[in-house]
PDB file of all heavy atoms in Angstrom:
ATOM      1  N   TYR A   6     119.312 133.908 104.423  1.00 50.00           N
ATOM      2  CA  TYR A   6     117.938 133.360 104.104  1.00 50.00           C
ATOM      3  C   TYR A   6     117.998 131.938 103.831  1.00 50.00           C
ATOM      4  O   TYR A   6     117.227 131.143 104.317  1.00 50.00           O
ATOM      5  CB  TYR A   6     117.451 134.102 102.822  1.00 50.00           C
ATOM      6  CG  TYR A   6     116.107 133.606 102.390  1.00 50.00           C
ATOM      7  CD1 TYR A   6     114.931 133.858 103.121  1.00 50.00           C
ATOM      8  CD2 TYR A   6     116.041 132.796 101.267  1.00 50.00           C
ATOM      9  CE1 TYR A   6     113.717 133.422 102.655  1.00 50.00           C
ATOM     10  CE2 TYR A   6     114.792 132.246 100.882  1.00 50.00           C
ATOM     11  CZ  TYR A   6     113.699 132.568 101.578  1.00 50.00           C
ATOM     12  OH  TYR A   6     112.488 132.076 101.204  1.00 50.00           O
ATOM     13  N   THR A   7     119.067 131.455 103.175  1.00 51.00           N
ATOM     14  CA  THR A   7     119.235 130.021 102.836  1.00 51.00           C
ATOM     15  C   THR A   7     119.393 129.276 104.119  1.00 51.00           C
ATOM     16  O   THR A   7     118.811 128.177 104.327  1.00 51.00           O
ATOM     17  CB  THR A   7     120.446 129.785 101.893  1.00 51.00           C
ATOM     18  OG1 THR A   7     120.196 130.570 100.692  1.00 51.00           O
ATOM     19  CG2 THR A   7     120.576 128.365 101.588  1.00 51.00           C
ATOM     20  N   ARG A   8     120.231 129.727 105.070  1.00 51.00           N
ATOM     21  CA  ARG A   8     120.430 129.035 106.288  1.00 51.00           C
ATOM     22  C   ARG A   8     119.108 128.900 107.078  1.00 51.00           C
ATOM     23  O   ARG A   8     118.809 127.846 107.581  1.00 51.00           O
ATOM     24  CB  ARG A   8     121.494 129.774 107.120  1.00 51.00           C
ATOM     25  CG  ARG A   8     121.954 128.873 108.332  1.00 51.00           C
ATOM     26  CD  ARG A   8     123.104 129.545 109.051  1.00 51.00           C
ATOM     27  NE  ARG A   8     122.430 130.568 109.896  1.00 51.00           N
ATOM     28  CZ  ARG A   8     122.896 131.776 110.057  1.00 51.00           C
ATOM     29  NH1 ARG A   8     123.945 132.169 109.376  1.00 51.00           N
ATOM     30  NH2 ARG A   8     122.304 132.653 110.811  1.00 51.00           N
ATOM     31  N   LEU A   9     118.351 129.912 107.175  1.00 51.00           N
ATOM     32  CA  LEU A   9     117.093 129.961 107.913  1.00 51.00           C
ATOM     33  C   LEU A   9     116.151 129.016 107.159  1.00 51.00           C
ATOM     34  O   LEU A   9     115.382 128.269 107.787  1.00 51.00           O
ATOM     35  CB  LEU A   9     116.507 131.328 108.023  1.00 51.00           C
ATOM     36  CG  LEU A   9     117.198 132.306 108.885  1.00 51.00           C
ATOM     37  CD1 LEU A   9     116.555 133.646 108.885  1.00 51.00           C
ATOM     38  CD2 LEU A   9     117.197 131.732 110.374  1.00 51.00           C
ATOM     39  N   ASN A  10     116.149 129.037 105.818  1.00 70.00           N
ATOM     40  CA  ASN A  10     115.208 128.211 105.083  1.00 70.00           C
ATOM     41  C   ASN A  10     115.577 126.704 105.309  1.00 70.00           C
ATOM     42  O   ASN A  10     114.559 125.949 105.249  1.00 70.00           O
ATOM     43  CB  ASN A  10     115.376 128.560 103.590  1.00 70.00           C
ATOM     44  CG  ASN A  10     114.227 128.051 102.768  1.00 70.00           C
ATOM     45  OD1 ASN A  10     113.155 127.847 103.326  1.00 70.00           O
ATOM     46  ND2 ASN A  10     114.454 127.777 101.536  1.00 70.00           N
ATOM     47  N   GLN A  11     116.789 126.330 105.557  1.00 67.00           N
ATOM     48  CA  GLN A  11     117.098 124.951 105.773  1.00 67.00           C
ATOM     49  C   GLN A  11     116.453 124.488 107.076  1.00 67.00           C
ATOM     50  O   GLN A  11     116.182 123.276 107.244  1.00 67.00           O
ATOM     51  CB  GLN A  11     118.641 124.763 105.950  1.00 67.00           C
ATOM     52  CG  GLN A  11     119.320 124.907 104.676  1.00 67.00           C
ATOM     53  CD  GLN A  11     120.797 124.804 104.809  1.00 67.00           C
ATOM     54  OE1 GLN A  11     121.381 125.090 105.842  1.00 67.00           O
ATOM     55  NE2 GLN A  11     121.492 124.345 103.753  1.00 67.00           N
ATOM     56  N   TYR A  12     116.128 125.336 107.983  1.00 70.00           N
ATOM     57  CA  TYR A  12     115.475 124.977 109.197  1.00 70.00           C
ATOM     58  C   TYR A  12     113.927 125.072 109.096  1.00 70.00           C
ATOM     59  O   TYR A  12     113.220 124.467 109.888  1.00 70.00           O
ATOM     60  CB  TYR A  12     115.959 125.824 110.380  1.00 70.00           C
ATOM     61  CG  TYR A  12     117.402 125.586 110.701  1.00 70.00           C
ATOM     62  CD1 TYR A  12     118.381 126.386 110.283  1.00 70.00           C
ATOM     63  CD2 TYR A  12     117.766 124.455 111.459  1.00 70.00           C
ATOM     64  CE1 TYR A  12     119.713 126.176 110.546  1.00 70.00           C
ATOM     65  CE2 TYR A  12     119.058 124.141 111.794  1.00 70.00           C
ATOM     66  CZ  TYR A  12     120.039 125.056 111.273  1.00 70.00           C
ATOM     67  OH  TYR A  12     121.369 124.764 111.555  1.00 70.00           O
ATOM     68  N   ARG A  13     113.452 125.860 108.136  1.00 83.00           N
ATOM     69  CA  ARG A  13     112.027 126.075 107.941  1.00 83.00           C
ATOM     70  C   ARG A  13     111.472 125.021 107.022  1.00 83.00           C
ATOM     71  O   ARG A  13     110.345 124.511 107.211  1.00 83.00           O
ATOM     72  CB  ARG A  13     111.806 127.462 107.401  1.00 83.00           C
ATOM     73  CG  ARG A  13     110.337 127.859 107.323  1.00 83.00           C
ATOM     74  CD  ARG A  13     110.253 129.253 106.820  1.00 83.00           C
ATOM     75  NE  ARG A  13     108.984 129.921 106.671  1.00 83.00           N
ATOM     76  CZ  ARG A  13     107.814 129.380 106.316  1.00 83.00           C
ATOM     77  NH1 ARG A  13     107.698 128.113 106.109  1.00 83.00           N
ATOM     78  NH2 ARG A  13     106.727 130.032 106.227  1.00 83.00           N
ATOM     79  N   SER A  14     112.212 124.618 106.019  1.00 91.00           N
ATOM     80  CA  SER A  14     111.705 123.568 105.095  1.00 91.00           C
ATOM     81  C   SER A  14     111.918 122.216 105.661  1.00 91.00           C
ATOM     82  O   SER A  14     112.796 122.013 106.462  1.00 91.00           O
ATOM     83  CB  SER A  14     112.408 123.680 103.774  1.00 91.00           C
ATOM     84  OG  SER A  14     113.833 123.641 103.916  1.00 91.00           O
ATOM     85  N   LEU A  15     111.007 121.306 105.315  1.00 94.00           N
ATOM     86  CA  LEU A  15     110.949 119.981 105.942  1.00 94.00           C
ATOM     87  C   LEU A  15     110.942 118.873 104.892  1.00 94.00           C
ATOM     88  O   LEU A  15     110.547 119.068 103.703  1.00 94.00           O
ATOM     89  CB  LEU A  15     109.675 119.833 106.783  1.00 94.00           C
ATOM     90  CG  LEU A  15     109.543 120.792 107.917  1.00 94.00           C
ATOM     91  CD1 LEU A  15     108.113 120.668 108.493  1.00 94.00           C
ATOM     92  CD2 LEU A  15     110.546 120.499 109.016  1.00 94.00           C
ATOM     93  N   TRP A  16     111.324 117.702 105.298  1.00 96.00           N
ATOM     94  CA  TRP A  16     111.119 116.477 104.508  1.00 96.00           C
ATOM     95  C   TRP A  16     110.208 115.656 105.372  1.00 96.00           C
ATOM     96  O   TRP A  16     110.303 115.499 106.575  1.00 96.00           O
ATOM     97  CB  TRP A  16     112.544 115.752 104.384  1.00 96.00           C
ATOM     98  CG  TRP A  16     113.413 116.407 103.445  1.00 96.00           C
ATOM     99  CD1 TRP A  16     114.361 117.360 103.719  1.00 96.00           C
ATOM    100  CD2 TRP A  16     113.541 116.072 102.074  1.00 96.00           C
ATOM    101  NE1 TRP A  16     115.038 117.726 102.559  1.00 96.00           N
ATOM    102  CE2 TRP A  16     114.540 116.903 101.548  1.00 96.00           C
ATOM    103  CE3 TRP A  16     112.884 115.188 101.173  1.00 96.00           C
ATOM    104  CZ2 TRP A  16     114.933 116.876 100.192  1.00 96.00           C
ATOM    105  CZ3 TRP A  16     113.254 115.195  99.875  1.00 96.00           C
ATOM    106  CH2 TRP A  16     114.240 116.000  99.381  1.00 96.00           C
ATOM    107  N   ILE A  17     109.235 115.042 104.674  1.00 97.00           N
ATOM    108  CA  ILE A  17     108.338 114.083 105.289  1.00 97.00           C
ATOM    109  C   ILE A  17     108.865 112.675 104.822  1.00 97.00           C
ATOM    110  O   ILE A  17     108.995 112.460 103.630  1.00 97.00           O
ATOM    111  CB  ILE A  17     106.913 114.215 104.863  1.00 97.00           C
ATOM    112  CG1 ILE A  17     106.391 115.587 105.216  1.00 97.00           C
ATOM    113  CG2 ILE A  17     106.003 113.172 105.533  1.00 97.00           C
ATOM    114  CD1 ILE A  17     104.970 115.855 104.656  1.00 97.00           C
ATOM    115  N   LEU A  18     109.057 111.806 105.817  1.00 98.00           N
ATOM    116  CA  LEU A  18     109.450 110.438 105.565  1.00 98.00           C
ATOM    117  C   LEU A  18     108.348 109.559 106.010  1.00 98.00           C
ATOM    118  O   LEU A  18     107.840 109.717 107.086  1.00 98.00           O
ATOM    119  CB  LEU A  18     110.736 110.068 106.296  1.00 98.00           C
ATOM    120  CG  LEU A  18     111.940 110.890 105.883  1.00 98.00           C
ATOM    121  CD1 LEU A  18     113.051 110.848 106.912  1.00 98.00           C
ATOM    122  CD2 LEU A  18     112.439 110.383 104.537  1.00 98.00           C
TER     123      LEU A  18
END
Side-chain angles (χ1 to χ4, degrees):
Y6 178 74
T7 302
R8 191 177 78 228
L9 289 177
N10 196 27
Q11 288 177 332
Y12 293 99
R13 188 178 181 323
S14 56
L15 298 169
W16 286 88
I17 302 175
L18 297 161

